[in-house]
Amino acid sequence: MTIDGKSIAGDASFGVINPATGQVFAQAPECTRVQLDAALDAASRAFKPWKRDVAARRAALLACAEAVKTRIGELAPILTQEQGKPLARASEELFGTAVWFQYTASLEIPVEVLQDDANARIEVRRRPLGVVGAITPWNFPVLLAAWKIAPALLAGNTMVLKPSPFTPLSTLKLGEILRDALPAGVLNVVSGNDQLGAWITAHPAVRKVSFTGSVATGKKVAAACAPDLKRMTLELGGNDAAIVLPDADPQKVAEKLFWGAFSNSGQICSAIKRLYVHESLEQPLVQALAKIAAATKVGNGLDAGTLLGPLNNKMQFERVNELVEDAKRHGGRCVTGGAPLPGAGYFIPPTLVTGLGEDARLVAEEQFGPALPILPYRDVDEAVERANGTMYGLSGSVWSASPERAAEVAGELECGTAWVNQHLAILPNTPFGGAKWSGIGVENGPWGLLGFTELQTVNIAKTPA
Ligand code: NAD
């Protein structure tokens, strides 16, 4: 772990499983309560000098970007082994991490001048909050950590970061790599089980919690923040709908829809999780998607040519299998896939399911895996109503020969990001967050940065005291 700029071993450790084999391949340190106190104490002490010099912080973030870029070759195999994603995708995640640091370093922390005349000067400034507790999930452990580290630190905060117990190693390595780029105590990285997350959210030293994970845990985090009125950003689950309008060309949209749903083996918060297609297009679109599914190599992320890796962990693997089995029992037909691959590892091939109603669990719940329900509709208003008929509201997309028409429909979707003729276009400079149960607050861009600050009005009377 990284605590106060030093490498710290745990008193105990836990096994990390490679999901491609189902076997423990490494041990990670289990952070004790005392070690967490030490990490939070280091972050509290580092806050005072760190918050003073924005130019130094900007330079440090650029150094972080450089450090990550030069160590991609070392980090990528660790990420692939603990997460499952193909090596090329792991490298992309790490390159994206460097890009996020670099972009965030360029952001300004605004001071707004509301009035400046003979009577008074009124400024609205942004102050850092203090120590941020950051908690991340297992699907994009390093990139999603960077979404928190870069803006929190630029704004002048310090941090204790805890990755998921399923994918601790790449984040611990990130902490190690960034030690030379940051003053001691500014970024502390600890690992452990879910209890460690609960300790962080309840700890009085933490002034803000930045959490990415499931809705169920997000609600627990919100409750844990309440007694202390901690600030929080919650990036939670999604059940994204893609709506294909009747004028779309199935051959043209199939490839993008497929990867919008199945990238990272469907383990993306904002992946397409329900595909609404006009009934006139259902047959040709299902055929086009099935063709792509058949040509997609599923396997160990370390093997050349693998396009989709395993599910990350046994629990998730069993959950997706259970949702597919439930779909079959409720009239669903698996056009492709439909069963796990034989042998070791948590592999499920891309599974396209037709014939389901809105109340099937695969439609109503977040599957977070490679099983996509395809749902025909008759008129567009009905599709929008069905797309919105959920407490999730992360993102969504509309597909059409007319981008203008699609953009109109996209405006009807109750979600944080609505794409037209694309899905998963997530950029460092655009705000990303969820409506309804999918979250509170946003990450990325100036909006994400401001989430790590609070307003201070400074009202200066011009008459000397
Ligand atoms: P999870 O909620 O099980 O765990 C997320 C993190 O919370 C882990 O680090 C875990 O150890 C920690 N945790 C667990 N219990 C805790 C508690 N009581 N207090 C504090 N921390 C606790 O989620 P997961 O299974 O790791 O990730 C998958 C979920 O994350 C999906 O629902 C996915 O949609 C969501 N997700 C959302 C976004 C987004 O940006 N909106 C991005 C990626 C993933």
Side-chain angles (χ1 to χ4, degrees), residues 243-251 253 275-288 374-380 382-383 386 399-400:
I243 302 177
V244 181
L245 300 188
D247 66 353
D249 178 345
Q251 302 307 324
V253 297
L275 177 55
Y276 291 98
V277 49
H278 189 261
E279 57 185 4
S280 62
L281 303 180
E282 189 188 6
Q283 284 282 16
L285 186 58
V286 168
Q287 273 170 16
I374 298 161
L375 307 153
Y377 69 85
R378 207 156 266 176
D379 80 84
V380 176
E382 168 214 332
R386 287 163 68 188
W399 304 69
S400 165

Coordinates of all heavy atoms in Angstrom, one line a residue, residues 243-251 253 275-288 374-380 382-383 386 399-400:
I243 N -32.3 3.0 -28.4 CA -33.6 2.9 -29.2 C -33.2 3.1 -30.7 O -32.6 4.1 -31.1 CB -34.6 4.0 -28.8 CG1 -34.9 3.9 -27.3 CG2 -35.8 4.0 -29.7 CD1 -35.8 5.0 -26.8
V244 N -33.5 2.0 -31.5 CA -33.2 2.1 -32.9 C -34.5 2.5 -33.6 O -35.5 1.8 -33.6 CB -32.7 0.7 -33.4 CG1 -32.4 0.8 -34.9 CG2 -31.5 0.3 -32.6
L245 N -34.5 3.7 -34.2 CA -35.7 4.2 -34.9 C -35.9 3.5 -36.2 O -35.0 2.9 -36.8 CB -35.5 5.7 -35.2 CG -35.3 6.6 -33.9 CD1 -35.4 8.1 -34.2 CD2 -36.4 6.3 -32.8
P246 N -37.1 3.5 -36.8 CA -37.5 2.7 -37.9 C -36.7 3.0 -39.2 O -36.5 2.2 -40.1 CB -39.0 3.0 -38.2 CG -39.4 3.9 -37.1 CD -38.3 4.2 -36.2
D247 N -36.1 4.3 -39.2 CA -35.3 4.6 -40.5 C -33.9 4.2 -40.4 O -33.1 4.5 -41.3 CB -35.5 6.1 -40.7 CG -34.8 7.0 -39.7 OD1 -34.3 6.4 -38.7 OD2 -34.7 8.2 -39.8
A248 N -33.4 3.6 -39.3 CA -32.0 3.2 -39.2 C -31.7 2.0 -40.1 O -32.6 1.2 -40.4 CB -31.7 2.9 -37.8
D249 N -30.5 1.9 -40.6 CA -30.0 0.8 -41.4 C -29.4 -0.3 -40.5 O -28.3 0.0 -40.0 CB -29.1 1.3 -42.5 CG -28.5 0.2 -43.3 OD1 -28.7 -1.0 -43.0 OD2 -27.9 0.5 -44.4
P250 N -30.0 -1.4 -40.3 CA -29.5 -2.4 -39.4 C -28.0 -2.8 -39.7 O -27.2 -3.0 -38.7 CB -30.4 -3.6 -39.6 CG -31.6 -3.1 -40.2 CD -31.2 -1.9 -40.9
Q251 N -27.7 -2.9 -40.9 CA -26.3 -3.2 -41.3 C -25.3 -2.2 -40.8 O -24.2 -2.5 -40.5 CB -26.1 -3.5 -42.8 CG -27.1 -4.5 -43.4 CD -27.0 -5.8 -42.6 OE1 -25.9 -6.3 -42.2 NE2 -28.1 -6.5 -42.5
V253 N -25.7 0.0 -38.3 CA -25.6 0.3 -36.8 C -25.2 -0.9 -36.0 O -24.8 -0.8 -34.8 CB -27.0 0.8 -36.3 CG1 -27.3 2.2 -36.9 CG2 -28.1 -0.2 -36.4
L275 N -32.0 -3.3 -25.6 CA -32.0 -2.8 -27.0 C -33.4 -2.7 -27.5 O -34.0 -3.8 -27.8 CB -31.1 -3.6 -27.9 CG -31.0 -3.3 -29.3 CD1 -30.6 -1.9 -29.6 CD2 -30.0 -4.2 -30.0
Y276 N -34.0 -1.5 -27.7 CA -35.3 -1.4 -28.2 C -35.2 -1.1 -29.7 O -34.5 -0.2 -30.2 CB -36.0 -0.2 -27.6 CG -36.4 -0.5 -26.1 CD1 -35.6 0.0 -25.1 CD2 -37.5 -1.3 -25.8 CE1 -35.9 -0.3 -23.7 CE2 -37.8 -1.6 -24.5 CZ -37.0 -1.1 -23.5 OH -37.3 -1.4 -22.2
V277 N -35.8 -2.0 -30.5 CA -35.7 -1.9 -31.9 C -37.1 -1.9 -32.6 O -38.0 -2.6 -32.1 CB -34.8 -3.0 -32.5 CG1 -35.2 -4.4 -32.0 CG2 -34.7 -3.0 -34.0
H278 N -37.3 -1.0 -33.6 CA -38.6 -1.0 -34.2 C -38.9 -2.4 -34.8 O -38.0 -3.0 -35.4 CB -38.6 0.1 -35.3 CG -40.0 0.3 -35.8 ND1 -40.5 -0.3 -37.0 CD2 -41.1 0.9 -35.3 CE1 -41.8 -0.1 -37.1 NE2 -42.2 0.7 -36.1
E279 N -40.1 -2.8 -34.6 CA -40.4 -4.2 -35.0 C -40.1 -4.5 -36.4 O -39.8 -5.7 -36.7 CB -41.9 -4.5 -34.7 CG -42.9 -3.5 -35.4 CD -44.3 -3.7 -35.0 OE1 -44.6 -4.6 -34.1 OE2 -45.2 -3.1 -35.6
S280 N -40.1 -3.5 -37.3 CA -39.8 -3.8 -38.7 C -38.3 -4.2 -38.9 O -38.0 -4.7 -39.9 CB -40.1 -2.6 -39.6 OG -39.3 -1.5 -39.2
L281 N -37.5 -3.8 -37.9 CA -36.0 -4.0 -38.1 C -35.5 -5.2 -37.2 O -34.3 -5.5 -37.3 CB -35.3 -2.8 -37.7 CG -35.6 -1.5 -38.4 CD1 -34.7 -0.4 -37.9 CD2 -35.3 -1.6 -39.9
E282 N -36.4 -5.8 -36.4 CA -35.9 -6.8 -35.4 C -35.1 -7.9 -36.1 O -34.0 -8.2 -35.7 CB -37.0 -7.3 -34.6 CG -36.5 -8.1 -33.4 CD -37.5 -8.9 -32.6 OE1 -38.7 -8.9 -33.0 OE2 -37.1 -9.5 -31.6
Q283 N -35.8 -8.5 -37.1 CA -35.1 -9.7 -37.7 C -33.7 -9.4 -38.3 O -32.8 -10.0 -37.9 CB -36.0 -10.2 -38.9 CG -37.2 -11.0 -38.4 CD -36.9 -12.4 -38.0 OE1 -35.7 -12.7 -37.8 NE2 -37.8 -13.2 -37.9
P284 N -33.7 -8.4 -39.2 CA -32.3 -8.1 -39.8 C -31.3 -7.6 -38.8 O -30.1 -8.0 -38.9 CB -32.6 -7.0 -40.8 CG -33.9 -6.4 -40.5 CD -34.7 -7.5 -39.8
L285 N -31.7 -6.9 -37.7 CA -30.8 -6.4 -36.7 C -30.3 -7.6 -35.9 O -29.0 -7.7 -35.6 CB -31.4 -5.3 -35.9 CG -30.4 -4.7 -34.9 CD1 -29.2 -4.1 -35.6 CD2 -31.0 -3.6 -34.1
V286 N -31.2 -8.5 -35.5 CA -30.7 -9.6 -34.7 C -29.8 -10.5 -35.5 O -28.7 -10.9 -35.0 CB -32.0 -10.5 -34.2 CG1 -31.6 -11.8 -33.7 CG2 -32.8 -9.7 -33.2
Q287 N -30.1 -10.7 -36.8 CA -29.2 -11.5 -37.6 C -27.8 -10.8 -37.7 O -26.8 -11.5 -37.6 CB -29.7 -11.6 -39.1 CG -30.7 -12.8 -39.2 CD -31.5 -12.7 -40.5 OE1 -31.1 -12.0 -41.4 NE2 -32.6 -13.5 -40.5
A288 N -27.8 -9.5 -37.9 CA -26.5 -8.8 -38.1 C -25.7 -8.9 -36.8 O -24.5 -9.1 -36.8 CB -26.7 -7.3 -38.5
I374 N -33.2 -8.0 -26.6 CA -33.6 -7.2 -27.7 C -35.1 -7.1 -27.7 O -35.8 -8.2 -27.7 CB -33.1 -7.9 -29.0 CG1 -31.5 -7.9 -29.0 CG2 -33.6 -7.1 -30.3 CD1 -30.9 -8.8 -29.9
L375 N -35.6 -5.9 -27.7 CA -37.1 -5.7 -27.4 C -37.7 -4.9 -28.5 O -37.4 -3.7 -28.7 CB -37.1 -4.9 -26.0 CG -36.4 -5.6 -24.9 CD1 -35.9 -4.5 -23.8 CD2 -37.2 -6.7 -24.2
P376 N -38.6 -5.5 -29.3 CA -39.2 -4.8 -30.4 C -40.3 -3.8 -29.8 O -40.9 -4.1 -28.8 CB -39.9 -5.9 -31.2 CG -40.0 -7.1 -30.3 CD -38.9 -7.0 -29.3
Y377 N -40.5 -2.7 -30.5 CA -41.5 -1.8 -30.2 C -42.3 -1.4 -31.4 O -41.8 -1.5 -32.6 CB -41.0 -0.5 -29.4 CG -40.1 0.4 -30.3 CD1 -40.7 1.4 -31.1 CD2 -38.7 0.2 -30.4 CE1 -39.9 2.2 -31.9 CE2 -38.0 1.0 -31.3 CZ -38.6 2.0 -32.0 OH -37.8 2.8 -32.8
R378 N -43.5 -0.7 -31.2 CA -44.3 -0.3 -32.4 C -44.2 1.1 -32.6 O -43.9 1.6 -33.8 CB -45.7 -0.7 -32.1 CG -46.5 -1.0 -33.3 CD -47.7 -1.9 -33.1 NE -47.4 -3.3 -33.3 CZ -48.3 -4.3 -33.1 NH1 -49.5 -4.0 -32.6 NH2 -48.0 -5.5 -33.3
D379 N -44.3 2.0 -31.6 CA -44.2 3.4 -31.9 C -43.2 4.1 -30.9 O -43.0 3.6 -29.8 CB -45.5 4.2 -32.0 CG -46.1 4.5 -30.7 OD1 -45.7 5.6 -30.1 OD2 -46.9 3.7 -30.2
V380 N -42.6 5.2 -31.4 CA -41.4 5.7 -30.7 C -41.8 6.2 -29.3 O -41.0 6.0 -28.3 CB -40.8 6.8 -31.5 CG1 -39.6 7.5 -30.8 CG2 -40.3 6.3 -32.9
E382 N -43.9 4.9 -27.3 CA -43.9 3.7 -26.5 C -42.5 3.3 -26.1 O -42.2 3.0 -24.9 CB -44.6 2.6 -27.3 CG -44.5 1.2 -26.6 CD -44.5 0.1 -27.7 OE1 -45.0 0.3 -28.8 OE2 -43.9 -0.9 -27.4
A383 N -41.6 3.4 -27.1 CA -40.2 2.9 -26.8 C -39.6 3.9 -25.7 O -38.9 3.4 -24.8 CB -39.4 3.0 -28.0
R386 N -41.0 3.0 -22.3 CA -40.4 1.8 -21.8 C -38.9 2.0 -21.3 O -38.5 1.5 -20.3 CB -40.5 0.7 -22.8 CG -41.9 0.2 -22.9 CD -42.1 -0.6 -24.2 NE -41.4 -1.9 -24.2 CZ -41.3 -2.7 -25.3 NH1 -41.9 -2.4 -26.4 NH2 -40.7 -3.9 -25.2
W399 N -30.8 5.8 -32.3 CA -30.1 5.5 -33.6 C -31.0 5.8 -34.7 O -32.2 5.3 -34.7 CB -29.6 4.1 -33.6 CG -28.7 3.8 -32.4 CD1 -29.1 3.7 -31.1 CD2 -27.3 3.5 -32.4 NE1 -28.0 3.5 -30.3 CE2 -26.9 3.3 -31.1 CE3 -26.4 3.4 -33.4 CZ2 -25.6 3.1 -30.7 CZ3 -25.1 3.2 -33.1 CH2 -24.7 3.0 -31.7
S400 N -30.6 6.6 -35.7 CA -31.5 6.9 -36.8 C -30.7 7.4 -38.0 O -29.5 7.9 -37.9 CB -32.4 8.0 -36.3 OG -33.1 8.7 -37.4

